[in-house]
Amino acid sequence: MHQLLKITGYLLLAVWSPSHAAVDLELTQGVKSTIPIAIVPFDGNASSTELLDMSAIINADLQNSGRFNVLDRAKISEKPQNAEQVNAATWQKLGMDNVVVGTVRPTPDGKYQVNFQLVDTNSARKDSAEAKLLTKEFMVPNKGMRKLAHHISDLVYEKLTGDKGIFSTHIAYVVVEKNRNIPVRYRLEVSDIDGYDPRSLIVSKEPIMSPSWSPDGNRIAYVSFEKNHAGIYIQEIASGNRRLVTDYPGINGAPSWSPDGSKLAFTLSKEGSPSIYTLDLVSNGLVQRTSGGSIDTEPSWAPDGKSLIFTSNRSGGPQLYRVDLASGGVQRVTYEGNYNVSGTFSPDGKNIVMLHQEAGAYSIAIQNLQNGKIDILTETGRDQSPRIAPNGSMVVFSTKSGSKQILGMVSTDAHVQLRLPPREGDVREPAWSPL
């Protein structure tokens, strides 16, 4: 019974709470070999008190990725508006291989025309085609400035690293409001990955947990206890419309979307011990995928949709296993350490990220599925609920900072670490949206 409470408690009883206000990412560790880049304040933008400073957001995005060495604004003396005005020698003396320049101009219809260029300063012919690594033009309303800034960060990141950027993605989480003489309230919220633009999807006096994004980014599945009993819901983000998927007696927990969005995997205990099930969201066909007297929880789909990893105590302690959906065969995945839970696949299916216990401390770890090697990514000993970014570069998780539960991020090579400083309440179980 103790083991059941431990594993199902980890699955169902975690609650969390970030701030309603913007949360500033703080880079606590970065890679030594970074890409030098200067983000010149966009002409007509940074000088305006009415407009969002787009170049400042791009600056923060790239700096916080840990992959770039962004030039301090105080050291920017020249402010070119386009590639033709970039003096390559000036920037090379500052050690900058790349420069982002741009302009923001109002249009008669009340929108803004935004132009930006990414310039390679190492090109001897600064006005040549190869020097202009990117040249883009956009038309946006004022309220679209932040989203566009993140999009530009994505474009620059991909061009210079070869990997997709994640600055336009979102994080889902649950806010727990605890005030004296007021009942606890739970909010399912979604925000930008830097904490801006938080939006509440649902508010409840009962626990909400385990959010999971659909592959198209339009829906979130989650667990709610609003009927004093666990149920799994799917909610459309734009409209707020939602659907009750399961509310069987016992555990209804840990929903996980299939890669094509047609199915959900989750944990049910309607037949006794918690087991893994999948549900076809079109036909409502329910299939039990694991069985026996063990406790099977926390399913996560392989990128090809042909298997699931899950947490089970069938070997005595909680470890990760993999079930083949065609044959039903189950194989153990983790052997190192006596506690490995909350596994999720990397987007390429070559690794799994998990919560790993070593010497009594809980850390985020990554395991190579080919050779079984486990690398420890965090060392606080108080981490939980890892979820990998859709480009495979970072892992978001919850951790302790003093008495606060906050969100942290770490790169999958452990070279970059970020944290979101505590604001109000505690934060647990983040979920990262798709690209």
Side-chain angles (χ1 to χ4, degrees):
M1 178 59 71
H2 174 72
Q3 193 69 270
L4 172 63
L5 290 175
K6 184 175 183 180
I7 295 181
T8 57
Y10 187 88
L11 168 66
L12 294 175
L13 299 181
V15 291
W16 23 308
S17 160
S19 169
H20 292 279
V23 180
D24 297 322
L25 283 171
E26 177 185 345
L27 182 64
T28 59
Q29 179 177 316
V31 297
K32 294 180 180 179
S33 179
T34 52
I35 301 171
I37 191 169
I39 314 298
V40 179
F42 287 8
D43 185 70
N45 183 193
S47 61
S48 172
T49 58
E50 298 178 357
L51 297 178
L52 186 73
D53 188 347
M54 297 179 65
S55 55
I57 295 173
I58 299 168
N59 188 309
D61 282 346
L62 298 182
Q63 185 65 46
N64 285 329
S65 75
R67 301 285 297 274
F68 291 85
N69 176 20
V70 182
L71 183 65
D72 188 334
R73 272 192 170 189
K75 297 180 180 180
I76 297 178
S77 57
E78 296 183 4
K79 296 183 179 179
Q81 300 177 20
N82 53 54
E84 286 70 29
Q85 295 177 2
V86 172
N87 186 333
T90 298
W91 299 102
Q92 288 173 351
K93 286 181 181 179
L94 294 169
M96 296 294 106
D97 294 335
N98 305 277
V99 178
V100 173
V101 295
T103 60
V104 178
R105 299 286 185 262
T107 62
D109 61 357
K111 294 183 179 180
Y112 292 87
Q113 179 180 315
V114 179
N115 293 275
F116 96 93
Q117 293 177 313
L118 171 63
V119 183
D120 175 13
T121 65
N122 291 311
S123 172
R125 297 170 296 169
K126 65 179 183 298
D127 60 342
S128 64
E130 59 264 29
K132 301 175 186 177
L133 301 180
L134 286 173
T135 298
K136 299 287 184 180
E137 179 180 305
F138 304 93
M139 198 74 66
V140 293
N142 190 6
K143 65 180 181 180
M145 290 287 193
R146 181 174 295 279
K147 181 180 292 187
L148 177 57
H150 288 314
H151 178 59
I152 292 173
S153 298
D154 287 333
L155 295 174
V156 173
Y157 184 95
E158 182 174 6
K159 186 66 179 181
L160 296 180
T161 69
D163 299 323
K164 292 284 188 182
I166 53 175
F167 308 110
S168 297
T169 60
H170 297 84
I171 300 291
Y173 48 82
V174 173
V175 176
V176 183
E177 295 182 343
K178 296 180 179 179
N179 298 308
R180 290 182 178 179
N181 304 319
I182 300 177
V184 176
R185 291 197 304 175
Y186 301 85
R187 296 177 181 269
L188 174 60
E189 290 193 350
V190 172
S191 76
D192 295 351
I193 64 167
D194 57 7
Y196 281 85
D197 193 25
R199 292 167 290 156
S200 294
L201 302 185
I202 185 173
V203 180
S204 175
K205 294 181 180 179
E206 302 299 332
I208 303 168
M209 54 201 62
S210 302
S212 175
W213 290 86
S214 64
D216 61 9
N218 294 327
R219 295 165 292 169
I220 291 181
Y222 58 90
V223 176
S224 173
F225 283 78
E226 63 196 71
K227 296 181 178 180
N228 297 316
H229 173 76
I232 296 175
Y233 294 80
I234 292 176
Q235 183 159 334
E236 295 178 2
I237 296 175
S239 68
N241 294 333
R242 63 183 191 143
R243 163 189 174 187
L244 176 61
V245 178
T246 70
D247 63 346
Y248 292 100
I251 295 171
N252 296 261
S256 174
W257 293 84
S258 64
D260 64 1
S262 68
K263 298 179 178 66
L264 274 185
F266 41 72
T267 298
L268 298 178
S269 61
K270 67 187 188 70
E271 301 297 333
S273 297
S275 300
I276 306 301
Y277 289 75
T278 59
L279 177 71
D280 188 303
L281 296 173
V282 177
S283 68
N284 287 324
L286 184 67
V287 180
Q288 186 172 351
R289 299 296 185 176
T290 67
S291 59
S294 60
I295 301 167
D296 300 336
T297 77
E298 301 180 318
S300 179
W301 292 82
D304 62 8
K306 296 180 179 180
S307 63
L308 295 161
I309 54 171
F310 61 96
T311 301
S312 178
N313 70 338
R314 59 185 60 201
S315 60
Q319 296 289 341
L320 297 180
Y321 291 78
R322 188 171 189 166
V323 56
D324 182 274
L325 298 182
S327 68
V330 175
Q331 292 183 327
R332 183 170 170 175
V333 176
T334 55
Y335 289 89
E336 185 177 329
N338 60 8
Y339 187 95
N340 294 288
V341 301
S342 299
T344 56
F345 282 95
S346 61
D348 61 10
K350 296 180 180 180
N351 302 281
I352 53 173
V353 171
M354 71 190 92
L355 181 64
H356 172 80
Q357 186 189 53
E358 190 170 286
Y362 295 95
S363 301
I364 308 304
I366 187 168
Q367 176 172 316
N368 184 303
L369 288 175
Q370 185 173 2
N371 59 28
K373 183 177 182 294
I374 291 180
D375 291 318
I376 305 300
L377 302 183
T378 65
E379 297 180 347
T380 71
R382 300 184 294 176
D383 306 327
Q384 58 182 297
S385 305
R387 289 295 179 266
I388 196 164
N391 69 352
S393 67
M394 301 287 290
V395 179
V396 65
F397 57 95
S398 62
T399 188
K400 280 279 191 179
S401 177
S403 62
K404 292 279 189 178
Q405 197 81 19
I406 66 171
L407 291 186
M409 294 183 186
V410 62
S411 62
T412 48
D413 60 8
H415 290 158
V416 178
Q417 293 190 23
L418 297 160
R419 67 175 182 177
L420 281 77
R423 300 291 183 178
E424 301 173 3
D426 295 320
V427 186
R428 301 177 190 173
E429 289 191 285
W432 214 315
S433 78
L435 291 170

Coordinates of all heavy atoms in Angstrom, one line a residue, residues 286-343:
L286 N -11.5 1.8 -26.1 CA -10.6 1.7 -24.9 C -9.8 0.4 -24.9 O -10.5 -0.7 -25.0 CB -11.3 1.9 -23.6 CG -10.5 2.0 -22.3 CD1 -9.7 3.3 -22.3 CD2 -11.5 1.9 -21.1
V287 N -8.5 0.4 -24.8 CA -7.7 -0.8 -24.9 C -6.7 -0.8 -23.7 O -6.0 0.2 -23.4 CB -6.8 -0.9 -26.1 CG1 -6.0 -2.2 -26.1 CG2 -7.7 -0.8 -27.4
Q288 N -6.8 -1.9 -22.9 CA -5.8 -2.0 -21.8 C -4.5 -2.5 -22.3 O -4.4 -3.5 -23.0 CB -6.4 -3.0 -20.7 CG -5.5 -3.1 -19.5 CD -6.2 -4.0 -18.4 OE1 -7.4 -4.3 -18.5 NE2 -5.4 -4.3 -17.3
R289 N -3.4 -1.8 -22.0 CA -2.1 -2.1 -22.5 C -1.2 -2.9 -21.6 O -0.2 -3.5 -22.0 CB -1.4 -0.8 -23.0 CG -2.2 -0.1 -24.1 CD -2.3 -0.8 -25.3 NE -2.9 -0.1 -26.4 CZ -3.0 -0.5 -27.7 NH1 -2.6 -1.7 -28.0 NH2 -3.6 0.3 -28.6
T290 N -1.4 -2.7 -20.3 CA -0.6 -3.5 -19.3 C -1.6 -4.1 -18.3 O -2.7 -3.7 -18.2 CB 0.4 -2.6 -18.5 OG1 -0.4 -1.7 -17.7 CG2 1.3 -1.8 -19.5
S291 N -1.1 -5.2 -17.7 CA -2.0 -5.9 -16.7 C -1.1 -6.6 -15.6 O 0.2 -6.5 -15.7 CB -2.8 -7.0 -17.4 OG -1.9 -7.9 -18.1
G292 N -1.7 -7.2 -14.7 CA -1.0 -7.8 -13.6 C -1.2 -7.1 -12.3 O -2.0 -6.1 -12.2
G293 N -0.5 -7.5 -11.3 CA -0.7 -6.9 -9.9 C 0.2 -5.7 -9.7 O 0.1 -5.1 -8.6
S294 N 1.0 -5.3 -10.6 CA 1.9 -4.1 -10.4 C 1.2 -2.8 -10.6 O 0.0 -2.8 -11.0 CB 3.1 -4.2 -11.4 OG 2.6 -4.1 -12.7
I295 N 1.9 -1.8 -10.2 CA 1.3 -0.4 -10.3 C 2.0 0.2 -11.6 O 3.2 0.4 -11.6 CB 1.7 0.4 -9.1 CG1 1.0 -0.2 -7.8 CG2 1.1 1.9 -9.3 CD1 1.6 0.4 -6.6
D296 N 1.2 0.4 -12.6 CA 1.7 1.0 -13.9 C 1.2 2.4 -14.1 O -0.1 2.6 -14.1 CB 1.4 0.1 -15.1 CG 1.9 -1.3 -14.9 OD1 2.9 -1.5 -14.2 OD2 1.3 -2.2 -15.5
T297 N 2.0 3.4 -14.2 CA 1.6 4.8 -14.3 C 2.4 5.6 -15.3 O 3.4 5.1 -15.9 CB 1.7 5.5 -12.9 OG1 3.1 5.8 -12.7 CG2 1.2 4.6 -11.8
E298 N 2.0 6.8 -15.5 CA 2.8 7.8 -16.3 C 3.2 7.3 -17.7 O 4.4 7.3 -18.0 CB 4.1 8.2 -15.5 CG 3.8 8.8 -14.1 CD 5.1 9.1 -13.4 OE1 6.0 8.3 -13.4 OE2 5.1 10.2 -12.8
P299 N 2.2 7.0 -18.5 CA 2.6 6.6 -19.9 C 3.1 7.8 -20.7 O 2.7 8.9 -20.5 CB 1.3 6.0 -20.4 CG 0.2 6.8 -19.7 CD 0.8 7.0 -18.3
S300 N 4.0 7.5 -21.6 CA 4.5 8.5 -22.6 C 4.7 7.9 -23.9 O 5.4 6.8 -24.0 CB 5.7 9.2 -22.0 OG 6.2 10.2 -22.9
W301 N 4.2 8.5 -25.0 CA 4.3 7.9 -26.3 C 5.7 8.0 -26.9 O 6.4 9.0 -26.8 CB 3.3 8.5 -27.3 CG 1.9 8.2 -26.9 CD1 1.2 8.9 -26.0 CD2 1.1 7.3 -27.5 NE1 -0.1 8.4 -26.0 CE2 -0.2 7.4 -26.9 CE3 1.2 6.3 -28.5 CZ2 -1.3 6.6 -27.3 CZ3 0.2 5.5 -28.9 CH2 -1.1 5.7 -28.3
A302 N 6.2 7.0 -27.6 CA 7.3 7.1 -28.5 C 7.0 7.9 -29.7 O 5.8 8.0 -30.1 CB 7.8 5.7 -28.9
P303 N 8.0 8.7 -30.2 CA 7.7 9.5 -31.4 C 7.0 8.8 -32.6 O 6.3 9.5 -33.3 CB 9.1 10.1 -31.7 CG 9.8 10.1 -30.5 CD 9.4 8.8 -29.8
D304 N 7.3 7.5 -32.8 CA 6.7 6.8 -33.9 C 5.3 6.3 -33.6 O 4.6 5.7 -34.4 CB 7.6 5.7 -34.4 CG 7.9 4.6 -33.3 OD1 7.2 4.7 -32.2 OD2 8.7 3.7 -33.6
G305 N 4.8 6.5 -32.3 CA 3.5 6.0 -31.9 C 3.3 4.5 -31.8 O 2.2 4.0 -31.6
K306 N 4.4 3.8 -31.8 CA 4.3 2.3 -31.8 C 4.5 1.7 -30.4 O 4.3 0.5 -30.2 CB 5.4 1.7 -32.7 CG 5.1 2.1 -34.2 CD 6.2 1.4 -35.1 CE 5.9 1.8 -36.6 NZ 6.9 1.2 -37.5
S307 N 4.9 2.5 -29.4 CA 5.2 2.0 -28.1 C 5.0 3.1 -27.1 O 4.9 4.3 -27.4 CB 6.6 1.4 -28.0 OG 7.6 2.4 -28.2
L308 N 4.9 2.7 -25.8 CA 4.8 3.6 -24.7 C 5.9 3.3 -23.7 O 6.2 2.1 -23.4 CB 3.5 3.5 -24.0 CG 2.2 3.9 -24.8 CD1 1.0 3.3 -24.1 CD2 2.1 5.4 -24.9
I309 N 6.4 4.3 -23.0 CA 7.2 4.0 -21.8 C 6.3 4.4 -20.6 O 5.4 5.2 -20.7 CB 8.5 4.8 -21.7 CG1 8.3 6.3 -21.9 CG2 9.5 4.2 -22.7 CD1 9.6 7.1 -21.6
F310 N 6.5 3.7 -19.5 CA 5.7 4.0 -18.3 C 6.5 3.6 -17.1 O 7.5 2.9 -17.1 CB 4.4 3.2 -18.4 CG 4.5 1.7 -18.4 CD1 4.5 0.9 -17.3 CD2 4.8 1.0 -19.6 CE1 4.6 -0.5 -17.3 CE2 4.9 -0.3 -19.7 CZ 4.8 -1.1 -18.5
T311 N 6.0 4.1 -15.9 CA 6.6 3.8 -14.6 C 5.9 2.6 -14.0 O 4.6 2.5 -14.1 CB 6.4 5.0 -13.7 OG1 7.1 6.1 -14.2 CG2 7.1 4.7 -12.3
S312 N 6.6 1.7 -13.5 CA 6.0 0.5 -12.9 C 6.9 0.0 -11.7 O 8.1 0.2 -11.7 CB 5.9 -0.7 -13.9 OG 5.4 -1.8 -13.3
N313 N 6.2 -0.6 -10.7 CA 7.0 -1.2 -9.6 C 7.1 -2.8 -9.7 O 7.3 -3.5 -8.8 CB 6.3 -0.9 -8.3 CG 4.9 -1.6 -8.1 OD1 4.3 -2.0 -9.1 ND2 4.5 -1.7 -6.8
R314 N 6.9 -3.3 -11.0 CA 6.8 -4.7 -11.1 C 8.1 -5.4 -10.8 O 8.2 -6.6 -10.6 CB 6.4 -5.1 -12.6 CG 7.3 -4.5 -13.7 CD 6.7 -4.8 -15.1 NE 5.4 -4.2 -15.2 CZ 4.5 -4.6 -16.1 NH1 4.8 -5.6 -16.9 NH2 3.3 -4.0 -16.2
S315 N 9.3 -4.7 -10.7 CA 10.5 -5.3 -10.3 C 10.8 -5.0 -8.8 O 11.9 -5.4 -8.4 CB 11.7 -4.7 -11.2 OG 11.7 -3.3 -11.0
G316 N 9.9 -4.4 -8.1 CA 10.1 -4.1 -6.7 C 10.1 -2.6 -6.4 O 9.3 -2.1 -5.6
G317 N 10.9 -1.9 -7.1 CA 11.0 -0.4 -7.0 C 10.5 0.2 -8.3 O 10.5 -0.5 -9.3
P318 N 10.2 1.5 -8.3 CA 9.7 2.1 -9.5 C 10.9 2.3 -10.6 O 11.9 2.8 -10.3 CB 9.3 3.5 -9.0 CG 10.0 3.7 -7.7 CD 10.2 2.4 -7.1
Q319 N 10.6 1.7 -11.7 CA 11.5 1.8 -12.9 C 10.7 2.1 -14.1 O 9.4 2.0 -14.1 CB 12.3 0.5 -13.0 CG 13.2 0.1 -11.9 CD 14.4 1.1 -11.8 OE1 14.8 1.7 -12.8 NE2 15.1 1.1 -10.7
L320 N 11.4 2.4 -15.2 CA 10.7 2.6 -16.5 C 10.7 1.4 -17.4 O 11.7 0.6 -17.4 CB 11.4 3.8 -17.2 CG 11.4 5.1 -16.5 CD1 12.1 6.2 -17.4 CD2 10.0 5.6 -16.3
Y321 N 9.6 1.2 -18.0 CA 9.4 0.0 -18.9 C 8.8 0.5 -20.2 O 8.3 1.6 -20.3 CB 8.4 -1.0 -18.3 CG 9.0 -1.7 -17.1 CD1 9.0 -1.1 -15.8 CD2 9.5 -3.0 -17.2 CE1 9.6 -1.7 -14.7 CE2 10.0 -3.7 -16.0 CZ 10.0 -3.0 -14.8 OH 10.6 -3.6 -13.7
R322 N 8.9 -0.4 -21.2 CA 8.4 0.0 -22.5 C 7.4 -1.1 -23.0 O 7.8 -2.3 -22.9 CB 9.5 0.2 -23.5 CG 9.1 0.7 -24.9 CD 10.4 1.0 -25.7 NE 10.1 1.7 -26.9 CZ 11.0 2.4 -27.6 NH1 12.3 2.4 -27.3 NH2 10.7 3.0 -28.7
V323 N 6.2 -0.7 -23.5 CA 5.3 -1.7 -24.0 C 5.1 -1.5 -25.5 O 4.9 -0.4 -25.9 CB 3.9 -1.6 -23.2 CG1 3.3 -0.2 -23.3 CG2 2.9 -2.7 -23.8
D324 N 5.3 -2.6 -26.2 CA 5.0 -2.5 -27.7 C 3.5 -2.6 -27.9 O 2.9 -3.6 -27.5 CB 5.8 -3.7 -28.4 CG 5.6 -3.6 -29.9 OD1 4.6 -4.2 -30.4 OD2 6.5 -3.0 -30.6
L325 N 2.9 -1.7 -28.6 CA 1.5 -1.7 -28.8 C 1.0 -2.7 -29.7 O -0.2 -3.1 -29.6 CB 1.0 -0.3 -29.2 CG 1.4 0.9 -28.2 CD1 0.8 2.2 -28.8 CD2 0.8 0.6 -26.9
A326 N 1.8 -3.2 -30.6 CA 1.4 -4.2 -31.5 C 1.4 -5.6 -30.9 O 0.4 -6.4 -31.0 CB 2.3 -4.2 -32.8
S327 N 2.5 -6.0 -30.2 CA 2.7 -7.3 -29.6 C 2.2 -7.4 -28.2 O 1.9 -8.4 -27.7 CB 4.1 -7.7 -29.7 OG 4.9 -6.9 -28.9
G328 N 2.2 -6.2 -27.5 CA 1.9 -6.2 -26.1 C 3.1 -6.6 -25.2 O 3.0 -6.6 -24.0
G329 N 4.3 -6.8 -25.8 CA 5.4 -7.2 -25.1 C 6.0 -6.0 -24.2 O 5.9 -4.9 -24.7
V330 N 6.4 -6.3 -23.0 CA 6.9 -5.3 -22.1 C 8.4 -5.6 -21.8 O 8.8 -6.7 -21.5 CB 6.1 -5.3 -20.8 CG1 6.7 -4.3 -19.8 CG2 4.7 -4.9 -21.1
Q331 N 9.2 -4.5 -21.9 CA 10.6 -4.7 -21.6 C 11.0 -3.6 -20.6 O 10.6 -2.4 -20.7 CB 11.5 -4.5 -22.9 CG 11.4 -5.6 -23.9 CD 12.3 -5.4 -25.1 OE1 12.5 -4.3 -25.5 NE2 12.8 -6.5 -25.6
R332 N 11.9 -3.9 -19.7 CA 12.4 -3.0 -18.8 C 13.4 -2.1 -19.5 O 14.3 -2.5 -20.3 CB 13.1 -3.7 -17.6 CG 13.6 -2.7 -16.5 CD 14.0 -3.5 -15.2 NE 14.7 -2.6 -14.3 CZ 15.1 -2.9 -13.1 NH1 14.8 -4.2 -12.6 NH2 15.7 -2.1 -12.3
V333 N 13.4 -0.8 -19.2 CA 14.3 0.2 -19.8 C 15.4 0.7 -18.9 O 16.5 0.9 -19.4 CB 13.4 1.4 -20.3 CG1 14.3 2.5 -20.9 CG2 12.4 1.0 -21.3
T334 N 15.1 1.0 -17.6 CA 16.1 1.5 -16.7 C 16.6 0.5 -15.7 O 15.7 -0.3 -15.2 CB 15.5 2.7 -16.0 OG1 14.3 2.3 -15.3 CG2 15.2 3.9 -16.9
Y335 N 17.9 0.4 -15.5 CA 18.5 -0.5 -14.5 C 19.4 0.2 -13.5 O 19.6 -0.3 -12.4 CB 19.3 -1.6 -15.2 CG 18.4 -2.6 -16.0 CD1 18.1 -2.3 -17.3 CD2 18.0 -3.7 -15.4 CE1 17.3 -3.2 -18.0 CE2 17.2 -4.6 -16.1 CZ 16.8 -4.4 -17.4 OH 16.1 -5.3 -18.1
E336 N 19.9 1.4 -13.9 CA 20.8 2.1 -13.0 C 20.0 2.9 -12.0 O 19.2 3.7 -12.3 CB 21.7 3.0 -13.9 CG 22.8 3.8 -13.1 CD 23.6 4.6 -14.0 OE1 23.8 4.3 -15.2 OE2 24.1 5.7 -13.5
G337 N 20.3 2.6 -10.7 CA 19.6 3.3 -9.6 C 18.3 2.5 -9.3 O 17.8 1.7 -10.1
N338 N 17.8 2.8 -8.1 CA 16.6 2.1 -7.6 C 15.3 2.8 -7.8 O 14.3 2.4 -7.3 CB 16.8 1.6 -6.1 CG 17.0 2.8 -5.2 OD1 16.9 4.0 -5.6 ND2 17.4 2.5 -4.0
Y339 N 15.4 4.0 -8.4 CA 14.2 4.8 -8.6 C 14.3 5.7 -9.9 O 15.1 6.6 -9.9 CB 14.1 5.8 -7.4 CG 12.8 6.5 -7.3 CD1 11.7 6.1 -6.6 CD2 12.7 7.8 -7.9 CE1 10.5 6.8 -6.5 CE2 11.5 8.5 -7.8 CZ 10.4 8.0 -7.1 OH 9.3 8.8 -7.0
N340 N 13.5 5.3 -10.9 CA 13.5 6.1 -12.1 C 12.0 6.2 -12.5 O 11.4 5.2 -12.8 CB 14.3 5.4 -13.2 CG 15.8 5.3 -12.9 OD1 16.4 6.4 -13.0 ND2 16.3 4.2 -12.6
V341 N 11.5 7.4 -12.6 CA 10.1 7.6 -12.9 C 9.9 8.8 -13.9 O 10.9 9.5 -14.3 CB 9.3 7.9 -11.6 CG1 9.4 6.8 -10.7 CG2 9.7 9.2 -11.0
S342 N 8.7 9.0 -14.3 CA 8.3 10.2 -15.1 C 9.2 10.3 -16.4 O 9.7 11.3 -16.8 CB 8.5 11.5 -14.3 OG 7.7 11.5 -13.2
G343 N 9.2 9.2 -17.1 CA 10.0 9.2 -18.4 C 9.3 9.8 -19.6 O 8.1 9.6 -19.7

